[in-house]
Amino acid sequence: MPRRVHHIVSLAGCTALLALAAPAAANEGMWMPGQIKDIGAALKADGLALSPDQLGRLDAAPLNAIVSLGGCSAAFLSPEGLVATNHHCVQGSIQYNSGEGRDYLTNGFLAKELGEELPAAPGSRIYVIEDLRDVTSAMMRGVTPRLDGLARYEKLDANRKALISACEKQANRRCDVRPYYGGAAYYLQQQLEIQDVRLVYAPAEGLGNFGGETDNWMWPRHTGDFGFYRAYVGPDGSSKPFAKENVPYRPKSWLRIASQGVKEGDFVMVAGFPGTTNRLRTSDEVLFNFAEYEPLWQRLLSDYATQIDKVTAGDREAQIRYASILAGAENYEKKLAGDLVGADAIRLDERKPAEEKAFRDWVAADAARQARYGADIAALDAVVIENNKASLTGLRTSLLNRAQLLGAARTLYRWAKEQEKPDAQRESGFQQRDRESIVDRLRQVERRFLPKIDRQLFEAALVEYRQLDAADRDAKFEAALTQIGFDRLYGETKLGDTPTRLGWLDKPASAFETSDDPFIKLAIALYAGDMESEQAAKARSGRTQAARAGYMKGLMAYKQAAGLPLYPDANSSLRLTWGKVMGKEKDGQIWTAFTTAEGLLAKQTGKGEFNAPQGAIDAIRAKDYGPYAAPELGTLPVDFMSNVDITNGNSGSSTLNARGEFVGLAFDGTLEGVISDWAYVAERNRTIHVDSRFMLWTMDKVDGAQRLLKEMGVTPVASR
């Protein structure tokens, strides 16, 4: 029987709002570091050997060894800045460094010494968490009920920029302010930004992505989804871009590799930066999402992946260039398909309205509650209708940026227009602090673009775009495209050349407006409509924040009165979750908690997605597992399953045992469990981890990465 832990506290102040949170079950919830003391008893009861106070500290291990890659999670595993994450999180860098005669995607990559480590893909960063503090009062300064939606948005945005600017006066820091509970609270996350990131090691695709898309989101799984980066800094210890004289970063803490792996029933926890969950959305938002938005999104991604496969078929260079784009499309398409099936399976269209009705009935039953929360509930209902319609339009209009040079031209022109303003008044994403990230995005195009492929994908995207009503399409853009034509568009542009593309960053808007480059002409044609849509979105955002913050305060009061928990949705900030190593029984199937090397061998076909390298196959056939076999299994574990609560963004998150030692990496969930982004269901939720013992075995017995093993404090077999 799951244990419930309740905290009844006052709703005065944001700290009290967060203290309200407590787990409904031991494995539910993604917890902020400041909340760990509130769930400490539950953690200890489930097996945590560390002090909860120690676990919640950002200035001590294990949490200060956890890092973000800006989309994936990772952790330091050595005092020399070695970072472990998932293979699919380093895939962009593998692809970026691949080319004719160096197919690292297929064959993997291993630097034999520091000097062989390769620059990661442009834009790669390692963010080291330093602080997470409540800034709600500062964010709400000057925000009054009398402000309309746009004015409210602009005030909140100005406050956010001021907080970030003050934080980033510290050298080499990257700061952000994120809303919690729909804007009822705000926290500032401060991180050290490491700019020089290098690819150190990734196993061959036949291990790092064994099973491919067939096994994605599935169990049993036999994927060695791991890879390594290294953080570098200047000789003086400051964060600097790539330079030969840079040296490995020395982190304050790093995770120790567990001398013994986990077994079924063991306590495990995952620390990382989960991206987005939607468990606190209203029933209208949920019903719309599953009836209209996700079905369209899933179909668009499916078509996109099919198009990429078709236009790159038989062309290895094109396949390498579009590998990471294709992988992203296929991964999320399958996730959305699981969402849709899961929503039906748990009858979410009945469950969510019933939950919502109970809350609204509670509000309506008391005049004081109705007076306090009723107007915000009604206001949120109204703006949700507007948001829903706009999101469908936005989904199709976003397809235009599948033309990579059009996306680049729009970014460049917007940058030029924003430079006409003082930096503090520039749009977020186009301030001076954002210049390097824009440069990196513009540079990435050179390894992920071929004109003949891009043209076909753009033509297909336009077919979908033209499904919009004429009123929702941009007439100026369509007229400009008709006048230019596709032959001129791709034949006359100079933006495909990287120095030329980057050179536009230093030109004024007037230079764009007199340019003959066809993609720049399209970007200018789109600009007025883009600004009109953006202003409307900002006004909706301001009204949404006002209404949702009030709605969430009401929902918190309702949950508190019922003795029920309410934790914040994931929002890419540092979180911790925990559970047990466990399998699952389902309708005639038994999912064991572990998969093994023998299972990988049984799946091996020697081709396609099931093509592990011969060295690994030979070692498995010889049962050459050394000290990495699990005694209770009698063989080498590959992956294991737990009931920890994760989502997108947790990819690469370190899995820790009860003592905070490294035992693996979270890399996936199961298809039937992805619905937990919208509604947590304990019996469906499972997370898949690559076992640290399989990682060490691959490094030692297959790829000869003994140098890295020694660096992590592991003695290779040959040295024992």
Side-chain angles (χ1 to χ4, degrees):
M1 178 72 72
R3 178 181 60 262
R4 295 183 180 273
V5 183
H6 307 310
H7 299 275
I8 306 302
V9 296
S10 166
L11 282 174
C14 293
T15 302
L17 291 179
L18 293 173
L20 184 65
N27 56 318
E28 180 181 354
M30 302 171 199
W31 304 95
M32 297 171 64
Q35 295 175 296
I36 291 175
K37 61 181 180 300
D38 298 315
I39 55 174
L43 282 161
K44 294 294 285 186
D46 271 342
L48 177 68
L50 300 174
S51 159
D53 288 341
Q54 169 78 10
L55 182 59
R57 290 177 55 186
L58 292 180
D59 60 350
L63 286 190
N64 72 339
I66 306 301
V67 300
S68 170
L69 303 180
C72 283
S73 301
F76 290 117
L77 291 194
S78 89
E80 296 296 319
L82 189 67
V83 170
T85 188
N86 286 155
H87 185 276
H88 71 263
C89 294
V90 303
Q91 184 182 33
S93 293
I94 302 171
Q95 176 266 324
Y96 184 80
N97 284 287
S98 294
E100 187 175 350
R102 55 180 197 284
D103 189 354
Y104 300 139
L105 279 172
T106 300
N107 303 321
F109 172 78
L110 173 65
K112 295 292 187 180
E113 56 187 33
L114 289 176
E116 294 182 2
E117 296 175 359
L118 298 174
S124 299
R125 296 287 189 273
I126 293 172
Y127 298 99
V128 184
I129 186 73
E130 294 180 329
D131 194 13
L132 186 64
R133 57 185 180 269
D134 185 347
V135 292
T136 308
S137 295
M139 274 294 293
M140 299 306 295
R141 189 172 295 125
V143 179
T144 69
R146 286 183 285 184
L147 296 178
D148 65 17
L150 182 58
R152 187 181 186 92
Y153 173 90
E154 290 176 340
K155 187 61 181 175
L156 286 166
D157 188 52
N159 290 346
R160 176 178 174 272
K161 288 175 183 174
L163 287 164
I164 290 172
S165 177
C167 179
E168 291 183 353
K169 282 185 169 56
Q170 306 168 84
N172 309 133
R173 267 44 184 192
R174 192 72 177 181
C175 305
D176 196 14
V177 176
R178 293 184 171 91
Y180 294 75
Y181 298 111
Y186 290 89
Y187 276 69
L188 184 146
Q189 183 167 268
Q190 176 183 311
Q191 297 170 307
L192 170 66
E193 179 183 29
I194 295 177
Q195 303 174 62
D196 187 351
V197 181
R198 303 189 196 180
L199 180 64
V200 176
Y201 165 58
E205 186 174 38
L207 286 180
N209 192 28
F210 184 83
E213 197 54 37
T214 299
D215 275 5
N216 191 22
W217 300 104
M218 307 299 285
W219 187 263
R221 196 74 175 272
H222 300 83
T223 307
D225 197 346
F226 70 95
F228 288 88
Y229 279 143
R230 191 184 304 278
Y232 280 77
V233 293
D236 61 355
S238 64
S239 178
K240 295 183 182 298
F242 175 86
K244 287 185 178 180
E245 63 269 20
N246 285 353
V247 298
Y249 171 70
R250 299 190 66 83
K252 294 178 180 178
S253 298
W254 59 94
L255 301 178
R256 270 60 174 183
I257 310 298
S259 59
Q260 294 183 333
V262 292
K263 60 184 182 300
E264 188 166 7
D266 278 359
F267 173 98
V268 287
M269 52 189 170
V270 165
F273 295 80
T276 304
T277 56
N278 297 287
R279 296 174 189 174
L280 302 181
R281 295 286 180 170
T282 68
S283 61
D284 284 350
E285 290 173 299
V286 172
L287 295 176
F288 164 78
N289 180 74
F290 288 98
E292 298 187 56
Y293 189 79
E294 283 201 6
L296 175 59
W297 193 6
Q298 189 263 340
R299 200 262 300 164
L300 291 174
L301 285 174
S302 177
D303 290 350
Y304 189 38
T306 300
Q307 291 155 9
I308 294 173
D309 272 331
K310 180 180 178 180
V311 300
T312 61
D315 185 338
R316 185 56 184 158
E317 180 189 4
Q319 289 170 341
I320 289 174
R321 284 179 180 259
Y322 284 82
S324 60
I325 296 173
L326 176 61
E330 288 181 331
N331 178 64
Y332 213 74
E333 182 277 327
K334 195 167 186 179
K335 188 267 184 194
L336 293 174
D339 265 358
L340 296 170
V341 172
D344 286 342
I346 68 169
R347 301 171 74 174
L348 188 58
D349 60 342
E350 299 175 13
R351 171 180 174 152
K352 190 67 180 184
E355 293 174 354
E356 182 94 7
K357 182 177 184 302
F359 163 55
R360 293 179 184 233
D361 286 350
W362 176 82
V363 171
D366 180 84
R369 292 196 293 261
Q370 180 63 32
R372 186 171 184 182
Y373 307 121
D376 286 326
I377 292 173
L380 185 58
D381 288 343
V383 75
V384 160
I385 294 171
E386 297 177 46
N387 288 339
N388 288 347
K389 181 182 184 302
S391 67
L392 283 179
T393 302
L395 190 54
R396 277 200 161 96
T397 57
S398 69
L399 300 180
L400 297 180
N401 280 343
R402 287 184 180 173
Q404 294 188 56
L405 298 188
L406 177 57
R410 294 171 85 177
T411 297
L412 287 164
Y413 185 53
R414 181 66 183 275
W415 174 264
K417 296 293 286 184
E418 293 298 325
Q419 298 315 294
E420 297 170 354
K421 310 171 187 175
D423 192 62
Q425 295 176 23
R426 294 172 191 164
E427 188 64 29
S428 295
F430 293 90
Q431 295 180 282
Q432 194 59 36
R433 68 190 290 270
D434 305 304
R435 182 184 171 95
E436 283 306 310
S437 64
I438 289 176
V439 168
D440 290 334
R441 292 204 309 273
L442 293 170
R443 184 171 282 126
Q444 284 177 0
V445 174
E446 67 187 358
R447 304 286 180 89
R448 298 177 182 178
F449 169 81
L450 286 172
K452 63 181 180 180
I453 304 299
D454 193 86
R455 174 173 176 167
Q456 293 176 79
L457 296 176
F458 187 30
E459 288 174 337
L462 284 168
V463 172
E464 289 293 343
Y465 173 75
R466 287 167 180 153
Q467 299 302 307
L468 288 168
D469 292 339
D472 292 324
R473 302 198 304 269
D474 193 307
K476 291 181 180 178
F477 160 74
E478 293 187 293
L481 181 59
T482 299
Q483 182 182 26
I484 294 168
F486 276 93
D487 289 342
R488 282 185 58 206
L489 187 64
Y490 284 89
E492 297 181 11
T493 185
K494 301 296 189 293
L495 291 182
D497 175 68
T498 297
T500 299
R501 192 167 58 252
L502 294 178
W504 278 99
L505 265 176
D506 296 316
K507 296 185 179 182
S510 59
F512 287 80
E513 290 151 9
T514 57
S515 171
D516 291 328
D517 190 288
F519 274 113
I520 289 177
K521 285 182 173 294
L522 284 186
I524 292 171
L526 282 163
Y527 182 76
D530 287 346
M531 294 303 98
E532 182 180 347
S533 297
E534 185 177 284
Q535 288 298 99
K538 288 178 178 179
R540 289 195 307 274
S541 177
R543 288 187 285 123
T544 301
Q545 188 276 339
R548 199 184 300 278
Y551 173 95
M552 286 305 306
K553 289 174 183 176
L555 186 60
M556 289 174 173
Y558 165 69
K559 293 285 188 177
Q560 182 184 26
L564 297 173
L566 191 68
Y567 48 84
D569 269 321
N571 62 356
S572 298
S573 62
L574 180 62
R575 305 291 181 93
L576 181 128
T577 179
W578 85 96
K580 297 289 182 73
V581 177
M582 61 189 302
K584 180 180 178 181
E585 294 186 15
K586 52 167 284 184
D587 192 24
Q589 299 179 33
I590 297 177
W591 287 359
T592 58
F594 288 86
T595 58
T596 66
E598 284 71 26
L600 185 153
L601 187 61
K603 285 184 177 179
Q604 168 80 356
T605 65
K607 56 187 176 183
E609 297 173 319
F610 299 91
N611 186 18
Q614 193 60 46
I617 296 302
D618 291 344
I620 292 171
R621 285 178 174 153
K623 297 191 181 298
D624 183 11
Y625 302 142
Y628 307 115
E632 62 277 1
L633 298 176
T635 186
L636 175 69
V638 179
D639 297 329
F640 66 88
M641 180 181 283
S642 79
N643 63 348
V644 298
D645 187 6
I646 69 167
T647 187
N648 60 299
N650 271 123
S651 288
S653 293
S654 288
T655 307
L656 312 177
N657 63 15
R659 297 178 296 280
E661 299 166 331
F662 181 87
V663 293
L665 293 167
F667 72 91
D668 208 357
T670 61
L671 204 57
E672 68 171 20
V674 295
I675 190 60
S676 64
D677 281 356
W678 293 86
Y680 183 85
V681 181
E683 60 269 22
R684 298 180 71 88
N685 183 68
R686 291 295 185 274
T687 291
I688 302 172
H689 315 249
V690 59
D691 196 298
S692 59
R693 290 165 290 191
F694 186 74
M695 295 171 61
L696 301 177
W697 174 82
T698 302
M699 298 171 75
D700 197 354
K701 294 286 188 174
V702 180
D703 287 336
Q706 287 82 12
R707 173 179 75 94
L708 300 180
L709 291 175
K710 292 176 182 177
E711 182 180 334
M712 295 188 297
V714 177
T715 304
V717 170
S719 303
R720 292 175 188 243

